[in-house]
PDB file of all heavy atoms in Angstrom:
ATOM      1  N   ILE A 127      26.586-166.917   6.607  1.00  0.00           N
ATOM      2  CA  ILE A 127      27.583-166.598   7.618  1.00  0.00           C
ATOM      3  C   ILE A 127      27.215-167.272   8.937  1.00  0.00           C
ATOM      4  O   ILE A 127      26.098-167.765   9.110  1.00  0.00           O
ATOM      5  CB  ILE A 127      27.700-165.075   7.838  1.00  0.00           C
ATOM      6  CG1 ILE A 127      26.311-164.456   8.112  1.00  0.00           C
ATOM      7  CG2 ILE A 127      28.394-164.418   6.663  1.00  0.00           C
ATOM      8  CD1 ILE A 127      26.345-162.998   8.487  1.00  0.00           C
ATOM      9  N   ASN A 128      28.167-167.292   9.852  1.00  0.00           N
ATOM     10  CA  ASN A 128      27.900-167.759  11.212  1.00  0.00           C
ATOM     11  C   ASN A 128      27.316-166.601  12.013  1.00  0.00           C
ATOM     12  O   ASN A 128      27.779-165.464  11.900  1.00  0.00           O
ATOM     13  CB  ASN A 128      29.196-168.225  11.888  1.00  0.00           C
ATOM     14  CG  ASN A 128      29.942-169.245  11.069  1.00  0.00           C
ATOM     15  OD1 ASN A 128      29.352-170.185  10.536  1.00  0.00           O
ATOM     16  ND2 ASN A 128      31.252-169.073  10.949  1.00  0.00           N
ATOM     17  N   SER A 129      26.352-166.889  12.867  1.00  0.00           N
ATOM     18  CA  SER A 129      25.718-165.819  13.642  1.00  0.00           C
ATOM     19  C   SER A 129      26.610-165.295  14.758  1.00  0.00           C
ATOM     20  O   SER A 129      26.432-164.169  15.222  1.00  0.00           O
ATOM     21  CB  SER A 129      24.399-166.306  14.231  1.00  0.00           C
ATOM     22  OG  SER A 129      24.609-167.433  15.057  1.00  0.00           O
ATOM     23  N   ASP A 130      27.604-166.078  15.174  1.00  0.00           N
ATOM     24  CA  ASP A 130      28.438-165.636  16.303  1.00  0.00           C
ATOM     25  C   ASP A 130      29.563-164.698  15.885  1.00  0.00           C
ATOM     26  O   ASP A 130      29.944-163.802  16.630  1.00  0.00           O
ATOM     27  CB  ASP A 130      29.012-166.841  17.066  1.00  0.00           C
ATOM     28  CG  ASP A 130      29.858-167.747  16.191  1.00  0.00           C
ATOM     29  OD1 ASP A 130      29.721-167.685  14.944  1.00  0.00           O
ATOM     30  OD2 ASP A 130      30.651-168.537  16.742  1.00  0.00           O
ATOM     31  N   ASP A 131      30.111-164.880  14.664  1.00  0.00           N
ATOM     32  CA  ASP A 131      31.257-164.058  14.258  1.00  0.00           C
ATOM     33  C   ASP A 131      31.073-163.346  12.916  1.00  0.00           C
ATOM     34  O   ASP A 131      31.953-162.607  12.487  1.00  0.00           O
ATOM     35  CB  ASP A 131      32.541-164.889  14.249  1.00  0.00           C
ATOM     36  CG  ASP A 131      32.506-166.049  13.249  1.00  0.00           C
ATOM     37  OD1 ASP A 131      31.546-166.130  12.443  1.00  0.00           O
ATOM     38  OD2 ASP A 131      33.447-166.875  13.281  1.00  0.00           O
ATOM     39  N   LEU A 132      29.970-163.613  12.229  1.00  0.00           N
ATOM     40  CA  LEU A 132      29.656-163.011  10.928  1.00  0.00           C
ATOM     41  C   LEU A 132      30.636-163.410   9.827  1.00  0.00           C
ATOM     42  O   LEU A 132      30.686-162.759   8.772  1.00  0.00           O
ATOM     43  CB  LEU A 132      29.545-161.481  11.028  1.00  0.00           C
ATOM     44  CG  LEU A 132      28.569-160.934  12.072  1.00  0.00           C
ATOM     45  CD1 LEU A 132      28.417-159.423  11.917  1.00  0.00           C
ATOM     46  CD2 LEU A 132      27.218-161.616  12.019  1.00  0.00           C
ATOM     47  N   ASN A 133      31.388-164.469  10.057  1.00  0.00           N
ATOM     48  CA  ASN A 133      32.275-165.013   9.027  1.00  0.00           C
ATOM     49  C   ASN A 133      31.552-166.069   8.206  1.00  0.00           C
ATOM     50  O   ASN A 133      30.559-166.658   8.653  1.00  0.00           O
ATOM     51  CB  ASN A 133      33.529-165.617   9.671  1.00  0.00           C
ATOM     52  CG  ASN A 133      34.589-164.582   9.967  1.00  0.00           C
ATOM     53  OD1 ASN A 133      34.840-163.698   9.151  1.00  0.00           O
ATOM     54  ND2 ASN A 133      35.211-164.671  11.135  1.00  0.00           N
ATOM     55  N   ILE A 134      32.067-166.347   7.022  1.00  0.00           N
ATOM     56  CA  ILE A 134      31.454-167.308   6.110  1.00  0.00           C
ATOM     57  C   ILE A 134      31.303-168.675   6.774  1.00  0.00           C
ATOM     58  O   ILE A 134      32.182-169.123   7.522  1.00  0.00           O
ATOM     59  CB  ILE A 134      32.269-167.409   4.796  1.00  0.00           C
ATOM     60  CG1 ILE A 134      31.495-168.182   3.721  1.00  0.00           C
ATOM     61  CG2 ILE A 134      33.657-167.992   5.030  1.00  0.00           C
ATOM     62  CD1 ILE A 134      32.112-168.061   2.329  1.00  0.00           C
ATOM     63  N   SER A 135      30.186-169.322   6.495  1.00  0.00           N
ATOM     64  CA  SER A 135      29.877-170.626   7.078  1.00  0.00           C
ATOM     65  C   SER A 135      30.606-171.742   6.330  1.00  0.00           C
ATOM     66  O   SER A 135      30.417-171.910   5.119  1.00  0.00           O
ATOM     67  CB  SER A 135      28.369-170.876   7.021  1.00  0.00           C
ATOM     68  OG  SER A 135      28.059-172.234   7.210  1.00  0.00           O
ATOM     69  N   TYR A 136      31.419-172.485   7.051  1.00  0.00           N
ATOM     70  CA  TYR A 136      32.123-173.629   6.459  1.00  0.00           C
ATOM     71  C   TYR A 136      31.130-174.646   5.902  1.00  0.00           C
ATOM     72  O   TYR A 136      31.298-175.165   4.793  1.00  0.00           O
ATOM     73  CB  TYR A 136      33.019-174.279   7.519  1.00  0.00           C
ATOM     74  CG  TYR A 136      33.631-175.598   7.101  1.00  0.00           C
ATOM     75  CD1 TYR A 136      34.579-175.660   6.088  1.00  0.00           C
ATOM     76  CD2 TYR A 136      33.259-176.781   7.732  1.00  0.00           C
ATOM     77  CE1 TYR A 136      35.150-176.868   5.709  1.00  0.00           C
ATOM     78  CE2 TYR A 136      33.824-177.994   7.359  1.00  0.00           C
ATOM     79  CZ  TYR A 136      34.763-178.039   6.353  1.00  0.00           C
ATOM     80  OH  TYR A 136      35.319-179.239   5.974  1.00  0.00           O
ATOM     81  N   LYS A 137      30.063-174.897   6.653  1.00  0.00           N
ATOM     82  CA  LYS A 137      29.053-175.869   6.227  1.00  0.00           C
ATOM     83  C   LYS A 137      28.388-175.429   4.925  1.00  0.00           C
ATOM     84  O   LYS A 137      28.147-176.242   4.027  1.00  0.00           O
ATOM     85  CB  LYS A 137      27.988-176.026   7.312  1.00  0.00           C
ATOM     86  CG  LYS A 137      26.924-177.076   6.983  1.00  0.00           C
ATOM     87  CD  LYS A 137      25.817-177.118   8.021  1.00  0.00           C
ATOM     88  CE  LYS A 137      26.301-177.766   9.289  1.00  0.00           C
ATOM     89  NZ  LYS A 137      25.190-177.970  10.264  1.00  0.00           N
ATOM     90  N   ASP A 138      28.112-174.111   4.793  1.00  0.00           N
ATOM     91  CA  ASP A 138      27.447-173.650   3.578  1.00  0.00           C
ATOM     92  C   ASP A 138      28.391-173.616   2.382  1.00  0.00           C
ATOM     93  O   ASP A 138      27.939-173.715   1.239  1.00  0.00           O
ATOM     94  CB  ASP A 138      26.808-172.278   3.794  1.00  0.00           C
ATOM     95  CG  ASP A 138      25.633-172.043   2.853  1.00  0.00           C
ATOM     96  OD1 ASP A 138      24.884-173.014   2.591  1.00  0.00           O
ATOM     97  OD2 ASP A 138      25.463-170.911   2.365  1.00  0.00           O
ATOM     98  N   ILE A 139      29.686-173.457   2.636  1.00  0.00           N
ATOM     99  CA  ILE A 139      30.655-173.591   1.536  1.00  0.00           C
ATOM    100  C   ILE A 139      30.526-174.976   0.912  1.00  0.00           C
ATOM    101  O   ILE A 139      30.482-175.122  -0.319  1.00  0.00           O
ATOM    102  CB  ILE A 139      32.098-173.357   2.035  1.00  0.00           C
ATOM    103  CG1 ILE A 139      32.323-171.874   2.342  1.00  0.00           C
ATOM    104  CG2 ILE A 139      33.117-173.831   0.991  1.00  0.00           C
ATOM    105  CD1 ILE A 139      33.669-171.582   2.975  1.00  0.00           C
ATOM    106  N   ILE A 140      30.460-175.988   1.753  1.00  0.00           N
ATOM    107  CA  ILE A 140      30.309-177.360   1.269  1.00  0.00           C
ATOM    108  C   ILE A 140      28.988-177.515   0.505  1.00  0.00           C
ATOM    109  O   ILE A 140      28.946-178.107  -0.584  1.00  0.00           O
ATOM    110  CB  ILE A 140      30.376-178.358   2.451  1.00  0.00           C
ATOM    111  CG1 ILE A 140      31.765-178.314   3.093  1.00  0.00           C
ATOM    112  CG2 ILE A 140      30.050-179.780   1.993  1.00  0.00           C
ATOM    113  CD1 ILE A 140      31.873-179.081   4.389  1.00  0.00           C
ATOM    114  N   ASN A 141      27.922-176.931   1.055  1.00  0.00           N
ATOM    115  CA  ASN A 141      26.598-177.020   0.407  1.00  0.00           C
ATOM    116  C   ASN A 141      26.573-176.349  -0.956  1.00  0.00           C
ATOM    117  O   ASN A 141      25.863-176.787  -1.864  1.00  0.00           O
ATOM    118  CB  ASN A 141      25.525-176.379   1.291  1.00  0.00           C
ATOM    119  CG  ASN A 141      25.258-177.158   2.556  1.00  0.00           C
ATOM    120  OD1 ASN A 141      25.556-178.354   2.628  1.00  0.00           O
ATOM    121  ND2 ASN A 141      24.712-176.493   3.563  1.00  0.00           N
ATOM    122  N   LYS A 142      27.352-175.270  -1.106  1.00  0.00           N
ATOM    123  CA  LYS A 142      27.308-174.479  -2.335  1.00  0.00           C
ATOM    124  C   LYS A 142      28.330-174.944  -3.387  1.00  0.00           C
ATOM    125  O   LYS A 142      28.331-174.442  -4.508  1.00  0.00           O
ATOM    126  CB  LYS A 142      27.560-172.995  -2.008  1.00  0.00           C
ATOM    127  CG  LYS A 142      26.489-172.329  -1.141  1.00  0.00           C
ATOM    128  CD  LYS A 142      25.197-172.180  -1.885  1.00  0.00           C
ATOM    129  CE  LYS A 142      24.195-171.238  -1.219  1.00  0.00           C
ATOM    130  NZ  LYS A 142      23.897-171.437   0.171  1.00  0.00           N
ATOM    131  N   THR A 143      29.201-175.870  -3.034  1.00  0.00           N
ATOM    132  CA  THR A 143      30.221-176.343  -3.974  1.00  0.00           C
ATOM    133  C   THR A 143      29.601-177.227  -5.049  1.00  0.00           C
ATOM    134  O   THR A 143      28.816-178.129  -4.756  1.00  0.00           O
ATOM    135  CB  THR A 143      31.323-177.133  -3.244  1.00  0.00           C
ATOM    136  OG1 THR A 143      31.894-176.319  -2.224  1.00  0.00           O
ATOM    137  CG2 THR A 143      32.421-177.549  -4.207  1.00  0.00           C
ATOM    138  N   THR A 144      29.961-176.959  -6.307  1.00  0.00           N
ATOM    139  CA  THR A 144      29.527-177.785  -7.435  1.00  0.00           C
ATOM    140  C   THR A 144      30.747-178.106  -8.304  1.00  0.00           C
ATOM    141  O   THR A 144      31.870-177.673  -8.009  1.00  0.00           O
ATOM    142  CB  THR A 144      28.478-177.058  -8.300  1.00  0.00           C
ATOM    143  OG1 THR A 144      29.131-175.981  -9.009  1.00  0.00           O
ATOM    144  CG2 THR A 144      27.342-176.503  -7.459  1.00  0.00           C
TER     145      THR A 144
END
Side-chain angles (χ1 to χ4, degrees):
I127 52 174
N128 307 315
S129 58
D130 59 340
D131 62 8
L132 306 188
N133 277 318
I134 192 168
S135 163
Y136 171 67
K137 183 185 286 187
D138 206 37
I139 288 174
I140 295 171
N141 291 339
K142 295 291 194 309
T143 303
T144 70

